[in-house]
Amino acid sequence: MTTTDQGPLYFRDRDWHPAAYTPGYKTSMTRAPFRPLVSLGSTLSEETGPAFGQAMIGELDNNLIMNFTGQPAIGERIILHGRVLDENGRGVPGVLVEIWQANAGGRYRHKKDGYLAPLDPNFGGCGRTLTDASGGYEFLTVRPGAYPWPNRVNDWRPMHIHLSVFGSGFGQRLITQNYFEGDPLIARCPIVQTIGQQKAIDVLVAPLDMNRAIPMDCLAYKFDIVLRGRRQSYFENRKEGL
Amino acid sequence: MMQRLDYLKETPSQTAGPYVHIGLVPNALGIPGIYPEDLGRAPVTDAAKGQRISITGRVIDGAGMVLRDALFETWQADAAGIYPVNDPRGPADPGVTGWARVAADFDTGIWRIDTVKPGRVPYPDGRLMAPHIAVWLVARGVNLGLQTRIYFDDEADANEACPVLGRIEHRERVATLLARHQGNGQYQIDFRLQGEGETVFFDM
């Protein structure tokens, strides 16, 4: 356990994130708070946070192709990799990244998913890993299929993977989704469009990364994740009593 | 030309969606075999010092419906007010991990946390905050995880002095953060996402 004071969190840019109330995504209409958030700077309750150790990670935890039954899942094999950084551009080491996704046909292993596409008996749909010393992570998985969902009559989710990320403080906790370069459904998706700025949407689109692809094996996509920054260096340099 | 501020932008949030349990509590959902057990099943061990408490509640939307797909995480200090990770003031009670992952019951929507009551933690200016548990809540339809806190209605003096509760301008809304003591260490609190009795959510 470290006992380093890492300093207050940077304020969140709420215009960059999706608004809470987004009628194009209908479920948000009854689940969005109407009252303004109570805003104040971070406290120890947000600046401290859970840490996770190597001991809890199993050998196949970041291999969604093999981690369910030990037999390979069906679909286009991909590596999803990137770095977890903070807003200062520093890699965040030792943090937990969890992912979940539909299978190659676009079907989730969930009793509430009634899409026609078949369940893959060898695909569970989740994985996890810890970032390395430079904040890097990677998963081996299958590229998830697009699928229809009940919102407007003919809404389809683009291919996507859900990512849940911890930082060095509870106030950095983040869940997001990555999309895949070139998918025509991205621009049509009401959940993507909860984000108001095109530049913010663009950073959720993982580019094809042929440098990391493995010949005759799998393609790769690169997705960097940025967590809230901290006024760390200020505190490191601060003299006693200042 | 002015110098540029070359900070990166935080990755935009997206909803956790209806299938968040596949990723975060697969065993509870009935997907065994990937992980030995789900993470964050309890924030304390039997060895934890302090007053044992249980908190139950529901998450309710603006139409009065109880969410059965809500999932939230909690983060708390030990009974002496020390956080178990990254706390600059020193080590916490080893019986307290501080973090829990809480899923509403898939049939009833009721959730439950078994823990110890946290101690008071200082605000940045040194004043003490009242005992509280930090909450981060996600669900289908929630575009960015909601931050709130659970305080306790039997900590009247500490609540009165808490600099965070003191910043809530509409005083009648403070009650939305107070878990109500039912006796024997049992507390009850609902999170209301919208409308009448809407829970105070924070930007911190």
Side-chain angles (χ1 to χ4, degrees), chain B:
Chain B
M1 178 179 168
M2 286 168 65
Q3 293 194 41
R4 285 176 33 188
L5 278 171
D6 283 328
Y7 293 108
L8 302 175
K9 299 288 287 182
E10 187 184 9
T11 298
S13 170
Q14 291 274 263
T15 178
Y19 304 127
V20 59
H21 304 86
I22 293 175
L24 303 192
V25 286
N27 290 294
L29 187 65
I31 308 178
I34 299 178
Y35 309 138
E37 65 175 36
D38 294 333
L39 292 178
R41 293 183 62 190
V44 296
T45 68
D46 290 343
K49 300 184 186 80
Q51 181 197 350
R52 294 264 151 190
I53 60 170
S54 296
I55 311 167
T56 60
R58 302 166 299 172
V59 183
I60 302 169
D61 74 9
M65 273 189 46
V66 176
L67 273 64
R68 290 170 297 175
D69 59 355
L71 182 145
F72 63 90
E73 293 176 3
T74 62
W75 177 238
Q76 69 166 87
D78 68 11
I82 306 287
Y83 279 105
V85 183
N86 290 338
D87 193 315
R89 297 166 300 154
D93 175 357
V96 176
T97 57
W99 175 71
R101 191 167 261 175
V102 186
D105 182 272
F106 297 130
D107 296 317
T108 65
I110 294 170
W111 52 261
R112 177 188 173 102
I113 307 164
D114 294 307
T115 187
V116 296
K117 192 188 264 188
R120 297 176 76 178
V121 174
Y123 194 65
D125 65 7
R127 286 180 291 165
L128 290 175
M129 297 188 280
H132 67 274
I133 297 174
V135 173
W136 174 82
L137 188 152
V138 294
R140 176 173 70 103
V142 174
N143 291 329
L144 174 61
L146 296 167
Q147 289 172 269
T148 185
R149 290 181 170 191
I150 297 171
Y151 284 85
F152 302 92
D153 77 343
D154 54 357
E155 298 281 350
D157 292 345
N159 290 341
E160 185 64 32
C162 178
V164 171
L165 292 178
R167 283 287 293 273
I168 299 170
E169 195 176 347
H170 300 100
R171 299 308 298 165
E172 77 285 358
R173 299 193 68 211
V174 171
T176 69
L177 299 178
L178 302 182
R180 294 183 303 280
H181 193 219
Q182 321 278 297
N184 285 331
Q186 306 289 311
Y187 291 85
Q188 201 281 332
I189 185 171
D190 291 333
F191 301 123
R192 292 181 183 271
L193 301 181
Q194 185 186 88
E196 184 82 21
E198 182 177 306
T199 298
V200 169
F201 296 104
F202 292 98
D203 179 14
M204 300 183 85

Side-chain angles (χ1 to χ4, degrees), chain A residues 76-99:
Chain A
E76 180 184 334
R77 298 160 60 87
I78 62 166
I79 289 170
L80 178 72
H81 77 103
R83 290 178 71 203
V84 178
L85 307 161
D86 68 13
E87 289 172 283
N88 298 304
R90 292 186 283 233
V92 189
V95 295
L96 181 67
V97 181
E98 295 162 285
I99 67 170

Side-chain angles (χ1 to χ4, degrees), chain A:
Chain A
M1 300 289 163
T2 58
T3 54
T4 316
D5 184 348
Q6 298 191 293
L9 292 164
Y10 292 168
F11 306 112
R12 200 159 233 164
D13 181 352
R14 299 237 163 215
D15 294 332
W16 181 252
H17 286 285
Y21 184 79
T22 47
Y25 175 27
K26 291 179 184 175
T27 311
S28 74
M29 294 174 72
T30 52
R31 296 185 172 192
F34 282 172
R35 307 292 292 266
L37 303 176
V38 172
S39 300
L40 59 174
S42 62
T43 76
L44 277 174
S45 305
E46 293 75 39
E47 292 158 15
T48 59
F52 298 93
Q54 204 67 45
M56 59 166 250
I57 298 291
E59 195 183 343
L60 289 177
D61 281 5
N62 70 338
N63 181 344
L64 284 73
I65 290 181
M66 299 296 286
N67 73 5
F68 190 47
T69 61
Q71 296 298 309
I74 296 165
E76 180 184 334
R77 298 160 60 87
I78 62 166
I79 289 170
L80 178 72
H81 77 103
R83 290 178 71 203
V84 178
L85 307 161
D86 68 13
E87 289 172 283
N88 298 304
R90 292 186 283 233
V92 189
V95 295
L96 181 67
V97 181
E98 295 162 285
I99 67 170
W100 67 99
Q101 62 170 94
N103 69 25
R107 173 89 179 262
Y108 283 97
R109 183 167 291 281
H110 194 291
K111 65 182 176 188
K112 295 224 163 131
D113 187 350
Y115 181 37
L116 299 169
L119 272 177
D120 176 349
N122 295 323
F123 188 73
C126 64
R128 65 186 182 189
T129 191
L130 291 174
T131 57
D132 64 21
S134 65
Y137 74 90
E138 74 171 7
F139 291 96
L140 180 63
T141 186
V142 294
R143 192 161 77 157
Y147 58 84
W149 61 295
N151 189 57
R152 297 173 307 202
V153 179
N154 196 18
D155 277 331
W156 290 69
R157 293 303 325 277
M159 303 176 285
H160 66 277
I161 294 176
H162 297 262
L163 298 103
S164 171
V165 190
F166 288 79
S168 53
F170 194 59
Q172 292 170 305
R173 198 73 182 80
L174 183 72
I175 281 183
T176 189
Q177 303 178 30
N178 86 273
Y179 304 99
F180 292 87
E181 179 183 0
D183 187 340
L185 293 172
I186 295 170
R188 297 170 179 267
C189 173
I191 287 178
V192 174
Q193 300 302 325
T194 59
I195 297 172
Q197 302 184 42
Q198 185 60 44
K199 281 203 292 196
I201 293 174
D202 291 344
V203 300
L204 295 185
V205 181
L208 179 68
D209 179 2
M210 291 307 282
N211 286 344
R212 194 64 175 265
I214 303 175
M216 307 306 288
D217 185 336
C218 60
L219 291 171
Y221 290 86
K222 186 165 189 288
F223 187 64
D224 287 340
I225 301 158
V226 181
L227 301 177
R228 292 171 72 180
R230 312 183 68 140
R231 295 208 300 266
Q232 188 170 25
S233 53
Y234 172 75
F235 272 77
E236 281 165 356
N237 296 332
R238 190 169 65 165
K239 293 227 168 47
E240 195 68 36
L242 278 180

